Amino acid sequence: MATQIEAKRIAAVLTEQRQTIVRRWLDTVVTKTRGRRTSAEVEQELEPMFDALASALNGGASDVSDGQLDELRAMLAEYSRSRARQGFTPSETALAIFMLRDAVISTISEREPSALGEIAGLSRMLDDLGLVTFEAYAQTRESVITNQAEQLLELSTPVVKVWDGIVAVPLVGTLDSARTQVVMESLLQTLVSTGSAHAIIDITGVPAVDTQVAQHLLNTVVAARLMGAQCVISGIRPQIAQTIVALGIEFGDIATKATLADALRLTLQRAGLEIRKIAKTA
Amino acid sequence: MSERVPILKVGQVLIVSIAFDLSDETTLALQQDLSARIVETSARGVIIDISGLEIVDSFIGRMLSTIASMSSVLDAETVVVGMRPAVAITLTELGLSLGGVRTALNAEKGFELLRELSVFADFGTGEDAAWQASVDGAGHVPR
Amino acid sequence: MVPAMSLVSAAAPAQQLQIASDADVVRVRQAVRALAIAAALSIVDQTKLVTAASELARNTLVHGGGGSARLERVVNGVRTGIRATFVDDGPGIADVERALAGGNSTAGGLGLGLSGSRRLVDEFELETSRGTGTRVSVTKWKR
């Protein structure tokens, strides 16, 4: 549809044939979703979309980016999100729009064949809207996965209290940028909530470190320092040390130790604490 | 219509608690008020609590380091306490270092730090110093 | 079939705020914060955005001789974000390269504010020319 006038003509056709088109549309969708949605549910969800489309077209919307289609787009996005959460496939979800297109074309070719030419533009718009449902679906699935990943992350990167005022973060597994940032924020928050001024970040369990991760670790230590806490990074294995040097990363005056034990020793010293052997009484 | 940040005196330490969105005007006023109070009270330490600040931008960052330098000239040590993690992360990414201003996690640790810096001759909590000054000849400490 | 899908549209009417005084800079900060919270940005992202907005609003006031800020929630497909645009009719930025390089220059704070702000946001657009004024637009998306 190149023009607003065509859009309005199509709107008129759609409105006139509304009953037939909607009936066909809803029946097809119910059939294709294999009875997982009842007729009534489908009607409740989809009928308003038809009206939103007709009204936007009546207002002259000739392109999918037209503001008048915002309402329909929002409905589609919500529809897709709920489908995604309920475990429908992406095809079943986009189906709704593609079936509408089919219903429109079949009805118009039967009832008003002369309008078929104009329907071509509408068909394109409906395809675009079908893709909107795909995107919304994909985004919802992604966020479900991200939420699960975050929960997994929190479980796998606990910040533990080693002593009064000293916490440790034993990192295990591959570190990526996202995960390191989560750890960073979690550590800093824990420093505040436990009133700890010392932290040991142990990367013994981390097989490899790249520039981004090293940068995040450095930023964590700098941020902690800004807050008034000191960190020691421990568990730097020879391979990682080599990588760090090769990458040209400067740790500057940030303390790094090969083992957690060494880091603990340094931290206790900084915290003004010492561990002494006590003579056992028999 | 400028709000002024209240400055409290606890013994030989001045405490400033910033709990709202500072305008640049209020920030400058604070700098001036603080230097005046330090001289007035012969304060030896300044604690600036920024736990109420949701952001620290370059202007506020400069204010903090200016206050620290200025206090130092007036023979008082400054400690900035209570920086929020999100603020620390933002400053780190902004590349702002607060010019070496001393920081501590909270006011209590701030006092500890001031004590370590030997700011006070016989420092307990600031309250002790205030009470000691109020002890009358009969040895009663007014509450 | 390649549809025009990456359309950024405004999800609600934009807020227009004038920047003519110190208090206006605070108002801009508060407005940006409210928008960021409503868009459910994480605390760290909120802080970064508000800090960047504070820097840019101040630049508009101090270096641009006053101007305005346009704040809006934007939508790109199914992503939501906040966009803040600062406009002034000031003298423009003479040496854009240097301003964007920033670093630790504290001269008037312009350098650090501009380059620092860029690091804190996802999208950064700058239009400026001597004698015509400056327009900076920053966007932060919800992750």
Side-chain angles (χ1 to χ4, degrees), chain B residues 21-26 54-60 62 85-87 89-91 93-96, chain C residues 22 26 29-30 33 43-44 47-48 50-51 54-55 58 104 106 108-109 112-113 116-117 119-120:
Chain B
D21 250 335
L22 281 184
S23 70
D24 291 1
E25 206 186 307
T26 309
E54 289 178 7
I55 70 158
V56 168
D57 57 20
S58 61
F59 196 85
I60 298 182
R62 268 199 302 282
V87 171
I89 292 173
T90 303
L91 285 176
E93 295 201 20
L94 257 182
L96 269 180
Chain C
D22 217 31
V26 178
R29 265 188 231 147
Q30 290 168 343
R33 181 179 299 122
I43 303 258
V44 175
T47 307
K48 288 183 183 175
V50 176
T51 306
S54 185
E55 297 286 343
R58 185 178 302 108
N104 288 318
T106 50
L112 190 58
S117 303
R119 282 200 283 274
L120 298 178

Side-chain angles (χ1 to χ4, degrees), chain B residues 54-125:
Chain B
E54 289 178 7
I55 70 158
V56 168
D57 57 20
S58 61
F59 196 85
I60 298 182
R62 268 199 302 282
M63 168 199 78
L64 293 173
S65 62
T66 303
I67 289 181
S69 309
M70 172 195 79
S71 310
S72 180
V73 166
L74 295 171
D75 202 24
E77 291 302 327
T78 310
V79 183
V80 170
V81 309
M83 184 181 292
R84 297 193 186 180
V87 171
I89 292 173
T90 303
L91 285 176
T92 306
E93 295 201 20
L94 257 182
L96 269 180
S97 68
L98 289 196
V101 175
R102 287 195 192 85
T103 57
L105 272 179
N106 50 45
E108 189 189 323
K109 291 205 156 50
F111 270 102
E112 264 173 48
L113 182 53
L114 285 175
R115 188 182 1 151
E116 273 168 43
L117 294 169
S118 312
V119 165
F120 313 100
D122 56 11
F123 188 57
T125 61

Side-chain angles (χ1 to χ4, degrees), chain A residues 154 157-161 167-170 183 186-187 190-191:
Chain A
E154 277 175 32
T157 51
V159 180
V160 298
K161 176 175 164 173
V167 298
V169 185
V183 171
S186 171
L187 170 61
T190 308
L191 288 176

Side-chain angles (χ1 to χ4, degrees), chain C residues 14-69:
Chain C
Q15 277 181 53
Q16 195 87 15
L17 293 160
Q18 73 159 3
I19 300 177
S21 73
D22 217 31
D24 289 336
V25 174
V26 178
R27 263 190 278 274
V28 167
R29 265 188 231 147
Q30 290 168 343
V32 173
R33 181 179 299 122
L35 280 174
I37 292 176
L41 260 57
S42 72
I43 303 258
V44 175
D45 284 345
Q46 278 173 40
T47 307
K48 288 183 183 175
L49 179 60
V50 176
T51 306
S54 185
E55 297 286 343
L56 295 174
R58 185 178 302 108
N59 277 357
T60 302
L61 179 65
V62 173
H63 299 279
S68 66

